[in-house]
Amino acid sequence: MIDQKYHYLLNHADIAFEAPTSGAYIEVKDAANGTSLAWVKQHDRASVEHFILRSEQAQAAFKKFTALQRADILMAWYRLMLDHQEDLAQILTAEQGKPLAEARGEIGSAASFIRWFAEQARRIDGDILPSPQAQQRLLVIKQPIGVTAAITPWNFPAAMITRKIAPAIAAGCSMLIKPAEQTPLSAYALQVLAIQAGLPSDVMITLSGDSVAVGKTLCESDIVRKLTFTGSTEVGRILAEQCAPTIKKLSLELGGNAPVIVFDDANIEQAVKGILASKFRNSGQTCVCANRVYIQEGIYDAVAQRVIEEVNKLKVGDGRIEGTTQGPLVDEAAVAKVESHIQDALAKGATLATGGKRLSESNTFFEPTVLTGVTQEMRVAREETFGPLAPLFSFKTEQDAVQMANDTEFGLAAYLFTQNASRQWRVGEALEYGMVGVNTGMISIEVAPFGGIKQSGLGREGSKYGIDDYLEMKYLCVDLSE
Ligand code: NAP
């Protein structure tokens, strides 16, 4: 059971700390040891429809708040999150499994989106356009879209929510949130703090439940004017289809297959640091995780050796234990996918340099793994592993590297390491990705636009652009003739 000292952050009608004897509930389990943490109410179609109406009512009142009022609420929420950072991180690690240091970092990053959009709330301005007609005045104003809905994944249970709801609130929208089944507690804890910060009730509504039923209800509703989703490309495609009849606005943050290119003029230690940071954060379960590491042949052995040395220093275990750097994988299917990518690569001629297996059949901890001699024919070149597997490919020329890096239907994040300034620009511009890290493996930050191209998604989150997805533009044409 989740420690009683965190119950104050989970003080919500949907949450039970003893196994409920009636009603439909979802059990939330400790990611490291599988014990019960709590139970959350399972909302069905009728219940979701009821909450959509409540969200509509709340938005009708909330849109009348001034930008300053909305900004003040967001700023109060940001401060509360930082005041409770440690407790929020403990809840996050319990349900998600990532090391506490990473969980604290995620809460800080989640809060930073709230602060950023508190600042942006006061900069939603319009335009006055010069008219070709002397008697006309042409104006553009921006208004909130209205009721919005979010469906979020388990890998960042806090940051994926604030990156969506903070711009929604800044714009004057309400939002219904369906968190992932494995990690709903962080969403409820955020809501508890939002209410404390002064957010009117029902402007943020958290709804757990069967994802297919809740998702379909949100997509089919005429009242919900926008859906924002972070998760797999496969589910993104289903949601886009379900939203088509109501022509809902869509933001999709989907899967990736991130390449890292290390040129032979790179600073090797900088590249190794970047590869480790990008590949092994959250045990390889982030959408911007390096999925393919391309190393130019002249420095292949030197980089591979240093990567293996550093990977061997990683420590797998319960995220609450000091020194742990790698938590568990999310479920058995995640373990099976990593295993299948390793088996496929080995069968096609790759070499296992370190790791390669789960720690025990009774849990989902997996050894950080490095494969050398990986080629484009192997599954790992095409599919997102979403686990702690670094496959090392080699390449001869810059042209080859760019061609292999772009040879995928995904286009979220890419990384390159080179000391040559013109190559940084040339390759950075040639990579077909929404985000490119140059000499770094860490690119996510609230001030920059996060998002992908091709089948990695639609729209951008964070940055000055992130609020546009929650606003409608209205053009007013005023004729002054009497
Ligand atoms: P997922 O299976 O697509 O699930 C994401 C969310 O969608 C969860 O809340 C899930 O709910 C829900 N869902 C699943 N099937 C649904 C359906 N038919 N209708 C409505 N909702 C549905 O993805 P995941 O395995 O959790 O996350 C990993 C994927 O997300 C990776 O591909 C990763 O690259 C991507 N990702 C992308 C970004 C980005 O910003 N681009 C960030 C993080 C992750 P339940 O869990 O309750 O079933």
Side-chain angles (χ1 to χ4, degrees):
M1 210 60 55
I2 194 142
D3 198 310
Q4 209 162 353
K5 65 182 177 203
Y6 308 122
H7 285 195
Y8 78 101
L9 280 173
L10 300 169
N11 182 14
H12 189 287
D14 281 3
I15 300 182
F17 297 108
E18 300 292 336
T21 48
S22 65
Y25 279 80
I26 299 169
E27 184 184 7
V28 187
K29 291 186 180 168
D30 186 298
N33 58 35
T35 58
S36 308
L37 290 174
W39 286 259
V40 295
K41 192 166 176 177
Q42 182 161 11
H43 291 275
D44 59 13
R45 189 175 183 97
S47 172
V48 176
E49 281 170 352
H50 164 78
F51 279 104
I52 290 174
L53 290 175
R54 281 177 53 169
S55 183
E56 185 182 31
Q57 276 178 8
Q59 201 268 333
F62 188 56
K63 71 180 180 192
K64 299 190 183 125
F65 279 44
T66 63
L68 182 59
Q69 285 172 317
R70 298 195 301 270
D72 282 347
I73 292 169
L74 284 167
M75 203 52 101
W77 193 15
Y78 159 74
R79 295 225 160 82
L80 281 171
M81 277 190 72
L82 291 191
D83 290 348
H84 298 277
Q85 184 166 14
E86 183 59 29
D87 290 359
L88 290 166
Q90 291 281 352
I91 292 171
L92 200 159
T93 290
E95 65 177 351
Q96 204 277 343
K98 65 179 65 179
L100 261 180
E102 279 191 34
R104 290 182 192 115
E106 180 178 340
I107 299 301
S109 148
S112 75
F113 286 108
I114 299 178
R115 180 184 191 170
W116 173 260
F117 284 109
E119 292 157 356
Q120 291 302 103
R122 301 184 69 192
R123 302 194 176 95
I124 303 170
D125 44 25
D127 279 312
I128 298 175
L129 310 175
S131 170
Q133 311 286 341
Q135 82 285 6
Q136 277 187 343
R137 297 294 178 270
L138 312 179
L139 297 91
V140 178
I141 62 168
K142 291 182 188 165
Q143 294 179 304
I145 283 190
V147 176
T148 66
I151 299 179
T152 56
W154 48 266
N155 61 347
F156 289 93
M160 292 304 103
I161 289 177
T162 58
R163 202 162 77 174
K164 297 178 186 309
I165 194 170
I169 292 173
C173 299
S174 59
M175 184 173 270
L176 299 126
I177 297 171
K178 209 299 282 170
E181 182 171 338
Q182 291 98 333
T183 58
L185 299 181
S186 296
Y188 284 105
L190 290 177
Q191 189 181 322
V192 166
L193 292 182
I195 303 283
Q196 262 185 46
L199 191 69
S201 57
D202 294 340
V203 171
M204 174 181 187
I205 293 174
T206 306
L207 290 170
S208 293
D210 169 62
S211 57
V212 176
V214 176
K216 214 158 182 286
T217 315
L218 293 170
C219 290
E220 287 174 358
S221 165
D222 263 325
I223 296 170
V224 175
R225 291 312 314 143
K226 178 194 169 66
L227 178 79
T228 169
F229 170 71
T230 296
S232 61
T233 298
E234 195 187 4
V235 173
R237 212 173 274 124
I238 296 172
L239 296 174
E241 241 177 82
Q242 290 176 353
C243 287
T246 52
I247 316 286
K248 234 180 264 324
K249 280 195 187 295
L250 273 180
S251 294
L252 302 174
E253 297 282 357
L254 307 177
N257 178 3
V260 178
I261 308 175
V262 186
F263 290 97
D264 55 15
D265 55 11
N267 173 330
I268 291 184
E269 285 311 306
Q270 191 179 47
V272 171
K273 193 171 162 217
I275 293 166
L276 265 285
S278 163
K279 175 68 253 182
F280 291 98
R281 194 157 64 106
N282 204 12
S283 302
Q285 304 172 110
T286 88
C287 53
V288 291
C289 270
N291 202 53
R292 301 167 284 156
V293 182
Y294 295 103
I295 307 167
Q296 201 156 14
E297 54 187 10
I299 54 160
Y300 186 89
D301 291 339
V303 174
Q305 188 196 328
R306 285 289 299 119
V307 168
I308 295 161
E309 280 168 14
E310 290 304 312
V311 168
N312 284 334
K313 292 181 192 164
L314 298 174
K315 195 157 170 280
V316 184
D318 186 322
R320 286 158 294 212
I321 295 171
E322 188 64 33
T324 297
T325 61
Q326 304 283 289
L329 298 193
V330 64
D331 55 22
E332 283 296 325
V335 173
K337 188 159 194 198
V338 181
E339 284 175 341
S340 72
H341 279 189
I342 295 172
Q343 279 155 15
D344 172 78
L346 294 179
K348 291 176 181 156
T351 302
L352 181 64
T354 188
K357 55 182 193 314
R358 64 193 298 166
L359 293 195
S360 142
E361 284 301 321
S362 62
N363 58 41
T364 56
F365 291 101
F366 203 93
E367 290 175 343
T369 301
V370 180
L371 291 173
T372 55
V374 181
T375 63
Q376 290 294 98
E377 290 66 47
M378 300 174 186
R379 268 181 66 196
V380 68
R382 310 249 145 241
E383 297 171 20
E384 187 184 31
T385 308
F386 229 61
L389 163 62
L392 309 187
F393 301 67
S394 87
F395 70 92
K396 282 190 197 321
T397 66
E398 180 180 307
Q399 208 185 1
D400 292 345
V402 171
Q403 190 274 327
M404 289 194 285
N406 286 342
D407 185 17
T408 167
E409 69 270 30
F410 297 106
L412 189 60
Y415 308 87
L416 66 115
F417 290 85
T418 173
Q419 295 295 302
N420 179 322
S422 39
R423 179 176 264 166
Q424 291 171 0
W425 280 101
R426 202 166 53 238
V427 177
E429 288 175 2
L431 287 170
E432 295 165 357
Y433 289 83
M435 298 172 284
V436 178
V438 180
N439 291 335
T440 176
M442 299 287 280
I443 52 174
S444 306
I445 187 157
E446 75 280 10
V447 303
F450 189 102
I453 62 171
K454 292 160 87 175
Q455 294 187 31
S456 287
L458 296 174
R460 293 293 182 273
E461 291 189 328
S463 79
K464 65 178 178 179
Y465 311 104
I467 205 159
D468 294 343
D469 276 352
Y470 296 89
L471 293 165
E472 291 283 16
M473 204 180 273
K474 183 180 281 177
Y475 154 55
L476 300 174
C477 176
V478 184
D479 194 300
L480 306 180
S481 340
E482 299 200 12

